[in-house]
Amino acid sequence: MVKILCLAALGLAALSQATKLHVNNGYITVDDAAVRSSIDVSPPVNIYARFDGSSNKEKAKPGCKLEGASWESSYGDIYFGEDNCLYDSKGQNINGQCCKPEGNLPEVKNPYYG
């Protein structure tokens, strides 16, 4: 019984581990959180980028969206590069995931606000 409980606890701990997403340039919004340097996240997430840095509004339209970004749970750190793509700690693009410009994106939390 004790072995089963210990294994279950280890499994829950592994599931709850988040990956640290670092932003290499500018600010982004991940789901509904403004990110200025890094944030702990668990996939999948929506990433919004290419904001007008001079906007002083609480909500703003992003220039691109990366919907449902995901990566292996073993990644401790990932990076949102200057080119608006996701990279692992070795500098390899993660499954070709990049923020794509889209026509009519909704307003989201402006990471430059405040």
Side-chain angles (χ1 to χ4, degrees), residues 17-22 28 30-31 39-47 66-80 85-89 92-95 97:
Q17 289 180 344
T19 299
K20 187 163 292 287
L21 170 61
H22 304 273
I28 64 172
V30 176
D31 291 331
I39 187 173
D40 290 333
V41 293
S42 296
V45 297
N46 294 319
I47 300 174
L66 173 52
E67 187 170 2
S70 61
W71 51 88
E72 294 178 28
S73 61
S74 61
Y75 288 166
D77 294 280
I78 60 172
Y79 300 84
F80 191 76
C85 296
L86 279 182
Y87 293 92
D88 64 20
S89 60
Q92 300 297 310
N93 180 257
I94 302 172
N95 300 323
Q97 296 180 92

Side-chain angles (χ1 to χ4, degrees), residues 5 14 16 22 30 99 110:
L5 290 175
S16 65
H22 304 273
V30 176
C99 189
N110 181 1

